[in-house]
Amino acid sequence: MTTRSLFLPDALYAYMQAVGVRETPVLAALRETTAALPQAHYQIAPEEGQILAFLVELTGARRILDIGTFTGYSALVMAAAAGPDGRVESFDVSEDFTAIARQAWAAAGVEARIGLTLGPAADSLDRLIAAGGAGAHDLAFIDADKERYDRYYEQALILLRPGGLICVDNTLWRGRVADPEDRRAKTESFRAFNARLHGDDRVSLALLPVGDGLTLARKRDNV
């Protein structure tokens, strides 16, 4: 829900971008194309994409769930990091946005590693569970409709192997979660979601002030 990390001063953010982010020409071009859309703020920040790629490499993830495709940046960085034997299953409802994604994936040479399913992600994930996908995945990135985060999180826990990693975007919600005067429905839903994860002993937890807040939840080995 943001194209940059919100919690850094501009000068420090620019420095971090200059020395800490490696972005391929295809990814940079995809960000430029996406910036022309009215919904450009749905794009993840490049530094968040780099963290996702780093986590894929660090964990050796090969079976990946991308819940919320938009124009395909997250799927692209994770498919590239997973290598030729990796597979990303990406879910979205928009044919228009994902048409941009398909073009970028083809330009990057990773289109064969990404499966795109159009339709409500929760229904698609239920079908994946019913088809025997439980415990067969290594990493999930959740960045879709915020009202269904609880459901996506529970589905991801089922679909991930023990030790698998869930990455959840927007969990600091532009800082509104820390404003006691903000009682809007989405703000309250994020407060409840964050509190729930904080108390969930099925996972190890870290919340990073990257992008609009990135929560990492590792499924514990005994779950």
Side-chain angles (χ1 to χ4, degrees):
M1 189 64 78
T2 176
T3 58
R4 61 157 287 178
S5 291
L6 297 176
F7 310 106
L8 288 175
D10 289 346
L12 184 56
Y13 180 74
Y15 177 79
M16 184 269 292
Q17 288 283 98
V19 303
V21 174
R22 299 171 177 170
E23 191 176 48
T24 66
V26 173
L27 285 169
L30 177 56
R31 279 203 302 120
E32 184 176 349
T33 298
T34 304
L37 300 173
Q39 302 86 355
H41 57 283
Y42 293 172
Q43 175 74 67
I44 66 170
E47 61 273 16
E48 185 172 356
Q50 184 156 311
I51 287 174
L52 291 176
F54 186 88
L55 290 170
V56 169
E57 292 186 11
L58 184 68
T59 62
R62 293 296 178 267
R63 296 288 303 277
I64 298 167
L65 303 170
D66 180 50
I67 305 169
T69 310
F70 189 41
T71 58
Y73 195 102
S74 56
L76 196 164
V77 295
M78 292 189 291
D85 59 339
R87 178 75 177 176
V88 176
E89 300 297 339
S90 195
F91 306 92
D92 207 281
V93 295
S94 171
E95 292 186 10
D96 293 336
F97 293 148
T98 56
I100 298 172
R102 289 182 189 275
Q103 292 176 353
W105 299 340
V110 299
E111 71 273 24
R113 306 178 199 171
I114 303 173
L116 175 63
T117 301
L118 291 176
D123 295 343
S124 300
L125 293 169
D126 279 342
R127 287 193 293 270
L128 189 58
I129 292 168
H137 299 80
D138 304 305
L139 186 146
F141 178 52
I142 301 174
D143 185 22
D145 46 322
K146 312 312 173 190
E147 297 83 357
R148 291 180 175 82
Y149 266 28
D150 280 327
R151 185 171 178 184
Y152 297 147
Y153 173 73
E154 290 298 331
Q155 290 170 314
L157 274 177
I158 294 170
L159 287 161
L160 290 187
R161 60 170 172 79
L165 184 64
I166 302 173
C167 308
V168 189
D169 198 23
N170 303 120
T171 48
L172 291 179
W173 198 233
R174 296 183 175 270
R176 294 169 186 161
V177 288
D179 178 2
E181 301 300 318
D182 192 328
R183 295 295 177 182
R184 284 172 285 191
K186 281 190 179 180
T187 304
E188 294 283 25
S189 71
F190 269 111
R191 288 194 186 107
F193 179 78
N194 290 337
R196 182 183 176 199
L197 264 63
H198 184 261
D200 190 351
D201 62 6
R202 297 173 296 175
V203 299
S204 303
L205 188 70
L207 200 170
L208 309 179
V210 174
D212 190 23
L214 179 65
T215 293
L216 307 179
R218 178 187 177 273
K219 181 176 176 178
R220 287 183 164 153
D221 294 339
N222 60 347
V223 174

